[in-house]
Amino acid sequence: MKCTRCKVRAEVHLRQHNAGFCRACFIFYMQRQVERAIDKERMFSKEEPILVAVSGGKDSLALWDILIELGYRTTGLHLSLGIGDYSDASTRKTVDFTAARGLSLITVPLTDEGLAVPTVTGFTNRPACSACGTLKRHYFDRLAVDRGFPVVATGHNLDDEAARLMGNVLHWQMDHLARQQPVLEPTHERFVRKVKPLYRISEYESAVYAFFRGIDYIVDECPNSVGATQLLYKDMLNRLEAASPGSKLTFVQDFFRKGRAAFVREETAPPQTCERCGMPSFGALCSFCKLVREVETKRERRRSAAVVGGHS
Ligand code: AMP
Ligand code: ZN
């Protein structure tokens, strides 16, 4: 196959677009795709400072690379989640990427805050992915608003969005369907805009991009995600994609264009303010503070039990 742009031998074949690209044209194509998504969905402008959430994986590092190449003003935000070797390696890849390119990075070590993911799950019996999601959402919002960033960009790709949509549809999660979109506008003064510039880019495309650009990323999946239903949906969607190229893109794109509006309800009340941390909440405490309080209570209870046990 020949490159769709320059007619030399193609190195990548994208069946969903019925196109092929050589290395240089693929890099150009990816950057153009992302730029178009940013402009079309009005994600952010060249003047706005953007906080990019980087995990050390291919998607978020590819996203950061593309944003820099396109001339956006970016700062990275990395959470060290404390999930053993996996988190250590993720932090190392992120820090190395940042250092090699002289970029600015904010790192939050959750272990120092007593909130490493295994600690939290150990004290609360919550599923690891749910606790981790609560921690991430809280720190993304809080750091963005405290440091004056109007927007947070994440590396969620087409496969992530298709799997999430599949899960939301299978369980008819009406509220989640209403909120699943490439740009989430703030509904509270301590929320910022959340955007997913890679929502049309497949996992395969972002892996190829990272490889062509020489980005060293963490290949391992999070150990907590093994067996997660998201992976089951991804596998199923990949089989559908192999039989019918373009299915994933149509599923997600047409949901955003046509389907989502059917789930949006006018009367949804805006969030209140958390009485403990001042961030948005549904109820007196936000989900982060509920989680922290649960950890503190259980930690205290165990400490007292240990003291009593020690005296007896
Ligand atoms: P995941 O939830 O692991 O599928 O990741 C989705 C997106 O969330 C990534 O592309 C990143 O933008 C962001 N993200 C995930 N983990 C971290 C982390 N430890 N620190 C900062 N951002 C993260
Ligand atoms: Zn709170």
Side-chain angles (χ1 to χ4, degrees):
M1 184 176 198
K2 291 202 169 133
C3 174
T4 307
R5 276 187 78 230
C6 76
K7 310 296 174 211
V8 304
R9 194 179 67 80
E11 277 190 68
V12 202
H13 182 196
L14 303 178
R15 289 177 70 205
Q16 75 274 31
H17 295 298
N18 199 16
F21 293 109
C22 69
R23 199 171 276 229
C25 290
F26 178 74
I27 291 170
F28 176 83
Y29 149 85
M30 283 282 285
Q31 295 174 353
R32 283 288 301 137
Q33 286 278 316
V34 175
E35 190 170 36
R36 262 197 225 144
I38 294 168
D39 290 347
K40 197 168 154 287
E41 303 292 336
R42 297 166 194 263
M43 293 187 179
F44 41 74
S45 68
K46 289 259 158 74
E47 286 70 45
E48 285 176 298
I50 305 150
L51 192 60
V52 188
V54 274
S55 63
K58 60 183 181 330
D59 304 305
S60 47
L61 288 179
L63 169 64
W64 201 3
D65 179 274
I66 292 171
L67 294 181
I68 295 162
E69 291 296 308
L70 291 173
Y72 288 100
R73 295 171 57 192
T74 61
T75 297
L77 168 61
H78 174 74
L79 307 183
S80 250
L81 299 167
I83 310 173
D85 294 346
Y86 168 77
S87 288
D88 293 344
S90 316
T91 302
R92 213 174 315 118
K93 299 281 184 197
T94 306
V95 168
D96 289 352
F97 178 91
T98 310
R101 293 159 187 242
L103 306 170
S104 68
L105 176 71
I106 303 168
T107 305
V108 183
L110 292 191
T111 314
D112 293 1
E113 317 236 335
L115 291 173
V117 173
T119 312
V120 171
T121 51
F123 279 122
T124 62
N125 294 328
R126 294 201 197 192
C129 297
S130 126
C132 189
T134 301
L135 294 169
K136 280 182 198 156
R137 279 189 293 275
H138 176 82
Y139 283 101
F140 291 174
D141 280 320
R142 198 170 91 192
L143 276 143
V145 84
D146 284 352
R147 310 263 182 131
F149 291 91
V151 54
V152 174
T154 54
H156 291 98
N157 60 34
L158 177 63
D159 295 62
D160 297 326
E161 292 305 298
R164 184 166 159 204
L165 181 55
M166 179 56 75
N168 285 342
V169 167
L170 281 177
H171 301 101
W172 291 113
Q173 304 265 27
M174 311 300 268
D175 292 348
H176 294 191
L177 284 162
R179 267 183 287 123
Q180 185 173 352
Q181 51 192 318
V183 181
L184 199 58
E185 290 293 344
T187 51
H188 185 280
E189 59 180 11
R190 286 183 69 77
F191 262 156
V192 302
R193 201 180 321 134
K194 316 259 182 49
V195 300
K196 302 170 194 169
L198 301 188
Y199 80 96
R200 300 182 80 251
I201 304 292
S202 71
E203 210 161 289
Y204 171 73
E205 290 170 300
S206 88
V208 173
Y209 182 85
F211 174 71
F212 282 173
R213 293 281 297 161
I215 297 171
D216 184 20
Y217 61 87
I218 178 151
V219 177
D220 297 340
E221 291 278 350
C222 171
N224 292 331
S225 75
V226 174
T229 34
Q230 282 302 82
L231 295 184
L232 185 68
Y233 299 152
K234 282 190 178 175
D235 183 47
M236 196 192 77
L237 287 157
N238 280 338
R239 278 188 274 158
L240 181 64
E241 182 73 21
S244 172
S247 300
K248 266 188 252 181
L249 190 56
T250 308
F251 183 44
V252 169
Q253 198 163 265
D254 284 0
F255 170 71
F256 289 153
R257 280 190 193 150
K258 307 182 211 164
R260 197 184 71 84
F263 300 95
V264 178
R265 281 177 300 164
E266 303 284 314
E267 76 276 16
T268 312
Q272 298 142 263
T273 299
C274 172
E275 58 190 36
R276 187 174 172 274
C277 75
M279 293 299 287
S281 66
F282 293 92
L285 289 182
C286 71
S287 35
F288 171 76
C289 288
K290 280 188 205 145
L291 188 69
V292 172
R293 193 154 276 183
E294 213 179 315
V295 171
E296 284 168 353
T297 311
K298 299 266 174 65
R299 190 179 272 145
E300 196 44 49
R301 221 177 271 163
R302 262 187 226 176
R303 202 174 288 146
S304 320
V307 170
V308 172
H311 284 298
S312 58

